[in-house]
Amino acid sequence: MTKQKKFILQESEIPTQWYNILADLPNKPLPPLHPGTKEPIGWEALAQIFPTECAKQELNTTDQWIDIPEEVLDKYKFYRSTPLVRAYELEKAIDTPAHIYFKNESTNPLGSHKINSALAQCYYCKQEGTTNVTTETGAGQWGAALAYAAKTFGLEAAVYQVKISMQQKPYRSSIMRTFGAAVTGSPSMSTRAGKDLLTIDPTHSGSLGTAISEALELASTTPHCKYVLGSVLNHVSLHQTIIGLEAEKQMAQAGEYPDTVIACFGGGSNFGGIAFPFLRHRILDGRNTEFIAAEPESCPKLTRGKFQYDFGDEAGYTPLLPMFTLGHQFKPANIHAGGLRYHGAGMIVSQLLKDGLMRGVDIPQIETFQAGMLFAQTEGIIPAPESCHAIAATIREAKKCKEEGRGKVILFNLSGHGLIDMSAYDQFINGDLQNYSISDQEITDNVNQLEQII
């Protein structure tokens, strides 16, 4: 009998609403605080920075379902649904009794899941009369998606790309410029935040926190400009739930339900996108599914960070957010998974971790590329370095199944392809790639410094 490899929804089956997990959480996250007064802030304050509708979505704890605007849904149909794929060859290579499925978000024209929220945020900006948007990006998947979405809705885009990632992945900058965005390496001399950092450290290679500071400063000083974000915040994860909602229908087509759901983790957007729709069944129905977020060993906020209020950026422009953090002045190692080089976890994921509804694992860089190579050689897709973390965590879980002599269903999110990351694969193949770690003392010192600031 022929085995079915791919499961794809018809356009009429694509979900028309996003799922808002905030409405179902047994314990709501603590509120964001004004950095000056330390008092909780409402959506009106957030709307000074973000699109108004996104600011409202950020703090919406009552509506379980949010309608996807018709214009956004029409754009989704350019590339959705994305396939759910059974990884038969990977299963065979590691000789596991587990059934492994992956949601392939690399098939859209921008190559990663980031476009799901970029289209929504740019739509909301256009609706309220915004003419310019600005953002940060690490590896460049978000920047590329934002540049395309901005052009789609007739907006001007300015992107601050982490300097080391810009050097490692120059073609991502080219993609952004192809879509008409202005791209600047961060930290730069174009903002006060950038100048201050370069004065202290002229060789600063950049971080997502640094790039966020610069983008926020530009937004606050440019008329009719809003800041849009690719991860961390609640409304971004909300838009990404289209991934898990599709996967839910596709798993039903396959006649199975995941025992374990896995995604790589930087700020939380693709983890929330695949996990939150399935988490609702654990929260509301008691379904015993395990959720695993895979982060770099060199940036371990989930496994070794401290839960407290922290800034979302390095300069301290953002509201204070309740998160597991390594401290907003943490300088991450120059790993190739640029989208995961962020100091803190989003508010929802941090609350889920506190409540024991998920867990984090941290994975060395070499292990992630070993997993990515095996996946490429078995399933024919070269994964992004970020996605390699999810693959490595999946392989770990699948090998446990073999050791324990039991089968289970594992679902992971392939958040993007690695076709613009081949220099990283070259380094791995040539033996030039290395692992990076962070000492307990370094984490303690950084968090202690944070406590003195806040």
Side-chain angles (χ1 to χ4, degrees):
M1 189 168 99
T2 303
K3 300 175 183 176
Q4 185 165 346
K5 178 72 172 174
K6 291 185 302 205
F7 302 86
I8 301 173
L9 303 178
Q10 298 299 312
E11 283 189 7
S12 61
E13 299 175 292
I14 297 172
T16 59
Q17 294 177 307
W18 295 304
Y19 169 60
N20 179 22
I21 196 173
L22 281 171
D24 291 332
L25 286 182
N27 298 311
K28 310 298 185 191
L30 295 169
L33 303 180
H34 188 283
T37 66
K38 308 299 191 293
E39 293 295 322
I41 59 175
W43 68 263
E44 296 89 350
L46 294 176
Q48 296 177 25
I49 304 170
F50 303 102
T52 299
E53 189 59 33
C54 293
K56 291 178 179 178
Q57 291 172 354
E58 182 68 21
L59 302 179
N60 185 336
T61 60
T62 56
D63 297 319
Q64 186 184 40
W65 299 98
I66 307 291
D67 289 339
I68 301 174
E70 194 65 37
E71 283 189 59
V72 176
L73 194 58
D74 286 344
K75 303 300 182 189
Y76 278 180
K77 290 178 180 177
F78 285 5
Y79 61 94
R80 306 209 71 90
S81 71
T82 59
L84 177 77
V85 185
R86 175 77 181 271
Y88 289 110
E89 295 304 314
L90 179 61
E91 293 171 14
K92 181 180 177 181
I94 56 181
D95 191 24
T96 178
H99 292 183
I100 301 174
Y101 293 85
F102 62 93
K103 184 70 164 144
N104 190 357
E105 288 295 301
S106 76
T107 59
N108 75 66
L110 279 302
S112 88
H113 72 291
K114 294 292 189 178
I115 189 61
N116 299 326
S117 186
L119 286 168
Q121 293 186 60
C122 286
Y123 166 79
Y124 289 130
C125 284
K126 183 69 171 181
Q127 289 299 107
E128 67 179 65
T130 297
T131 58
N132 294 65
V133 291
T134 182
T135 194
E136 80 297 326
T137 193
Q141 291 99 328
W142 168 246
L146 187 278
Y148 167 76
K151 182 58 64 176
T152 296
F153 287 106
L155 306 172
E156 295 296 322
V159 181
Y160 287 91
Q161 184 174 11
V162 175
K163 192 173 289 182
I164 185 62
S165 293
M166 196 178 211
Q167 294 166 2
Q168 291 170 337
K169 308 170 198 298
Y171 288 132
R172 284 256 165 73
S173 302
S174 300
I175 291 172
M176 295 177 230
R177 293 188 177 106
T178 297
F179 290 124
V183 186
T184 304
S186 176
S188 73
M189 295 298 288
S190 67
T191 67
R192 172 50 53 194
K195 289 176 184 176
D196 288 346
L197 290 170
L198 289 172
T199 299
I200 297 169
D201 180 7
T203 63
H204 199 304
S205 59
S207 69
L208 281 167
T210 300
I212 290 171
S213 295
E214 294 207 86
L216 279 169
E217 185 175 322
L218 180 65
S220 66
T221 56
T222 304
H224 308 296
C225 182
K226 286 294 176 79
Y227 170 66
V228 291
L229 184 66
S231 190
V232 183
L233 292 185
N234 304 339
H235 67 271
V236 186
S237 293
L238 170 75
H239 304 153
Q240 294 294 352
T241 58
I242 188 75
I243 301 170
L245 293 168
E246 283 186 0
E248 202 177 4
K249 292 184 176 185
Q250 291 163 317
M251 289 299 300
Q253 288 181 351
E256 300 205 86
Y257 189 89
D259 299 299
T260 303
V261 177
I262 298 173
C264 64
F265 192 87
S269 70
N270 99 91
F271 174 80
I274 189 76
F276 289 177
F278 291 99
L279 258 162
R280 87 180 189 277
H281 298 300
R282 178 166 176 175
I283 294 169
L284 301 178
D285 308 323
R287 193 117 194 193
N288 191 27
T289 302
E290 182 181 26
F291 299 89
I292 301 173
E295 63 185 1
E297 183 182 58
S298 60
C299 199
K301 56 263 188 179
L302 295 176
T303 54
R304 297 169 65 192
K306 180 176 180 180
F307 181 80
Q308 67 181 71
Y309 275 99
D310 193 6
F311 293 105
D313 70 311
E314 187 165 345
Y317 291 159
T318 69
L320 290 166
L321 306 174
M323 58 166 63
F324 279 92
T325 181
L326 300 169
H328 63 281
Q329 294 184 333
F330 171 70
K331 291 183 175 60
N334 295 334
I335 61 171
H336 281 274
L340 308 186
R341 297 172 69 251
Y342 185 66
H343 65 273
M347 293 187 293
I348 294 176
V349 172
S350 293
Q351 188 64 49
L352 292 169
L353 187 61
K354 281 181 66 180
D355 291 343
L357 292 170
M358 58 160 288
R359 66 182 174 93
V361 295
D362 55 76
I363 303 179
Q365 179 165 239
I366 298 297
E367 183 182 347
T368 68
F369 275 89
Q370 290 170 339
M373 291 282 288
L374 179 60
F375 185 78
Q377 292 166 8
T378 54
E379 295 298 324
I381 301 169
I382 298 174
E386 292 81 6
S387 301
C388 289
H389 290 71
I391 298 168
T394 297
I395 291 172
R396 286 185 182 183
E397 293 301 306
K399 287 182 175 179
K400 284 181 190 176
C401 290
K402 180 181 178 181
E403 293 164 4
E404 297 168 0
R406 65 185 181 94
K408 65 178 182 179
V409 178
I410 302 172
L411 168 66
F412 76 88
N413 196 26
L414 182 69
S415 56
H417 68 65
L419 296 178
I420 308 178
D421 300 284
M422 296 315 298
S423 63
Y425 279 91
D426 278 344
Q427 287 186 40
F428 173 77
I429 293 166
N430 295 336
D432 297 329
L433 214 57
Q434 61 180 306
N435 284 326
Y436 297 92
S437 60
I438 177 173
S439 69
D440 290 338
Q441 189 60 52
E442 189 177 351
I443 293 174
T444 299
D445 290 346
N446 209 51
V447 173
N448 286 344
Q449 184 181 25
L450 169 64
E451 290 173 346
Q452 293 171 9
I453 293 171
I454 297 179

